[in-house]
Amino acid sequence: MTVSPIAEPRQRLDGQLGTGAIVFMVIAAAAPLTVIGGNVPIAIGTGNGAGAPIGFALAAVILLVFSVGFVTMTPFVREAGAFFSYVTAGLGSRLGLGSAFTALVAYTAIQVGVYGYMGWAVDDLVTFFGGPSLPWWLYSFATMAIVAVLGYRHIDLSAKVLGVALALEILVVVVLDIVIFATGGAEGIAVETFDPSNIFTGGIGVAVLFALTGFIGFEATAVFRDEARTPEKTIPRATYLAVLIIGVFYAISCWALVTGVGASNAVAVAQQTLAGDGNLLLDTATTYLGPIMRDVIQVLLITSLFACVLSFHNVIARYQFTLAQKSVLPARLGRRHGVHHSPSFSSIVQTITAVIVLAVLALLGLDPLVGVFGSMAGVATVGMVLLMLTTSIAVLVFFARRPELAGGRVWGARVFPILAVVGLAFALWLVLSNFTLVTGGSVAVSVGLALVPVAAMVIGIVLGRRFPLDAEPVDETAAVPATKTAGS
């Protein structure tokens, strides 16, 4: 980590991403088909059973509450640093750098985890159709090569690729949901989902936990600020739309799967999936859509994972780009490509980092799902909840120190951020208290992994004395209409 001795003019990324394109990027990072096929069975089988859809709805509510304060502050934060830019503006340079390091660790972890999941999924698909069984990491590195090419080029190309993949995976699940509800499911519409005795059980924490894991990538709306067409309008719209679409999609699709197998059988079927004796999503698709659509969904699972890992790659590259612009990372990481106007060198470095981490995990002989995906998803979940909690506190402090900017927006500047702090603190407790379910490892291993993002935060705070973030001035002249829209 070095500081460039020569001050270079800051370069900004550019683009014409609209609300729809940014929403696509965020939802793609959430990998909705992957969540429905993987997180939902865990939430049902080890959580609150038929009441699991409510857990996903509660997670969406927590994030919507968080979004109000986040969006209210957005017009005053002019740089594309996402959470760490907000923390820097509200809580200062040292906590800002700590948040930046935490985000880098969290996103790198989830990206490597998804590469592991991708390797397993492609091998499963190939062997299902009669092909040879090859080491999972071969498929992971092949995927990484394609992501490296797309990440090097202009963001518009990635947005188009993500848009096509995302539209297909959402379409097929929506069709499955409609058919299940139209036919009445195995035992009629599962009204048991809304029974308080099913909702408020000890397992609701597990459902909320895995719902939150499915929202990782949520902050990407602000990461693409410089590449948005009109960021003061696009970022707030994209933030709210992304949370609403993801939350509604998860909750309804989870409810549809419970209805499809029957509320009385949901837990047993989900547990069979976790034991490897079946597949809740694919088996339900076979029942209601036929074997051909089952095969289609299995293929779309691959595109879902690809869209997810490409989105994470783009986010990490832009984090590094912004930190380099602030002289925290080497200056070359902060240069954009002359033709593609992308953070090309940062993208290359990000690819190399992922290669090294994944190679180490592969050499250790870890299972691609439990050992790689499970553990890395756990690290990322702790990191992202910690980041959102810190950001909510930053919003409160920011407006408390600048009451003239808060104006009459008491709800967006004070009430909702307080509610977000309470909700996210509760969510963090849920994550940590159920952490072994995420990692699949022992208590000692789980504790060690949970401390990784915390350690990143501490290191950033300590280094903040030597490498203070040069925060851009707060935009106190932000357009009034845009601010009111954000805080409404």
Side-chain angles (χ1 to χ4, degrees):
M1 185 179 298
T2 59
V3 179
S4 175
I6 301 176
E8 298 183 4
R10 290 186 177 180
Q11 297 180 332
R12 288 189 180 273
L13 303 176
D14 58 47
Q16 289 295 315
L17 295 178
T19 301
I22 295 178
V23 169
F24 271 134
M25 302 287 277
V26 175
I27 299 179
L33 185 58
T34 303
V35 173
I36 300 303
N39 293 30
V40 166
I42 299 176
I44 295 174
T46 63
N48 56 340
I54 305 302
F56 283 85
L58 287 175
V61 169
I62 291 174
L63 291 183
L64 277 174
V65 170
F66 164 82
S67 297
V68 176
F70 180 70
V71 164
T72 300
M73 188 173 169
T74 292
F76 306 105
V77 181
R78 299 190 298 187
E79 62 183 2
F83 288 160
F84 85 77
S85 295
Y86 289 70
V87 174
T88 301
L91 300 178
S93 173
R94 298 183 68 176
L95 275 169
L97 187 57
S99 298
F101 280 19
T102 303
L104 281 175
V105 167
Y107 273 114
T108 299
I110 191 61
Q111 185 195 37
V112 171
V114 175
Y115 275 128
Y117 198 147
M118 171 68 88
W120 172 87
V122 175
D123 181 62
D124 184 61
L125 177 67
V126 171
T127 55
F128 178 80
F129 287 108
S133 179
L134 300 175
W136 62 268
W137 47 265
L138 288 177
Y139 298 113
S140 298
F141 286 123
T143 303
M144 199 177 294
I146 301 173
V147 169
V149 173
L150 291 174
Y152 184 86
R153 298 176 63 84
H154 196 279
I155 189 65
D156 288 342
L157 178 60
S158 292
K160 292 174 183 177
V161 172
L162 294 177
V164 172
L166 180 64
L168 291 174
E169 65 176 283
I170 288 182
L171 176 62
V172 72
V173 176
V174 169
V175 170
L176 177 60
D177 293 348
I178 292 173
V179 172
I180 289 175
F181 287 124
T183 57
E187 302 171 347
I189 304 300
V191 294
E192 294 88 343
T193 290
F194 305 98
D195 188 332
S197 63
N198 289 325
I199 298 174
F200 300 107
T201 67
I204 190 172
V206 178
V208 173
L209 161 66
F210 282 97
L212 289 171
T213 302
F215 279 92
I216 293 177
F218 161 73
E219 69 163 320
T221 55
V223 172
F224 297 110
R225 179 183 180 87
D226 287 345
E227 294 153 286
R229 186 176 300 123
T230 52
E232 67 279 0
K233 296 180 181 179
T234 301
I235 301 305
R237 291 172 182 170
T239 301
Y240 287 131
L241 279 174
V243 175
L244 283 171
I245 293 172
I246 295 172
V248 170
F249 182 83
Y250 287 165
I252 292 180
S253 297
C254 182
W255 185 28
L257 289 179
V258 171
T259 298
V261 298
S264 63
N265 300 318
V267 173
V269 174
Q271 290 177 345
Q272 288 175 357
T273 299
L274 301 181
D277 297 329
N279 189 301
L280 175 60
L281 174 61
L282 296 181
D283 293 344
T284 304
T286 302
T287 300
Y288 291 92
L289 300 179
I292 294 179
M293 288 304 298
R294 179 196 189 280
D295 296 342
V296 170
I297 292 177
Q298 192 168 7
V299 172
L300 288 176
L301 175 61
I302 305 300
T303 64
S304 173
L305 289 166
F306 179 79
C308 173
V309 79
L310 175 58
S311 184
F312 286 138
H313 176 96
N314 286 329
V315 170
I316 298 169
R318 281 150 184 79
Y319 255 105
Q320 294 175 162
F321 179 89
T322 302
L323 287 174
Q325 292 279 312
K326 293 175 173 295
S327 299
V328 174
L329 295 180
R332 192 174 178 185
L333 288 168
R335 297 174 185 167
R336 69 178 188 177
H337 194 279
V339 176
H340 303 303
H341 293 184
S342 64
S344 53
F345 187 75
S346 179
S347 177
I348 293 173
V349 171
Q350 204 286 305
T351 299
I352 294 173
T353 302
V355 167
I356 294 173
V357 176
L358 190 65
V360 170
L361 296 177
L363 289 173
L364 289 174
L366 297 180
D367 177 82
L369 286 182
V370 177
V372 179
F373 178 73
S375 60
M376 294 297 100
V379 172
T381 302
V382 172
M384 295 312 296
V385 176
L386 180 61
L387 278 171
M388 288 190 288
L389 177 59
T390 307
T391 302
S392 293
I393 296 173
V395 173
L396 280 170
V397 175
F398 177 85
F399 285 112
R401 291 175 175 173
R402 302 171 179 84
E404 72 281 1
L405 297 184
R409 293 175 292 279
V410 176
W411 290 97
R414 294 183 178 85
V415 177
F416 276 95
I418 291 174
L419 293 175
V421 169
V422 174
L424 289 165
F426 174 66
L428 185 60
W429 175 80
L430 288 178
V431 171
L432 295 176
S433 62
N434 294 281
F435 202 59
T436 54
L437 293 174
V438 184
T439 64
S442 64
V443 173
V445 171
S446 297
V447 169
L449 291 171
L451 289 176
V452 170
V454 177
M457 175 73 78
V458 172
I459 291 172
I461 293 173
V462 172
L463 290 177
R465 182 185 297 274
R466 182 180 178 187
F467 300 99
L469 284 181
D470 180 19
E472 292 191 9
V474 172
D475 186 1
E476 299 189 6
T477 62
V480 174
T483 306
K484 288 184 177 179
T485 299
S488 60

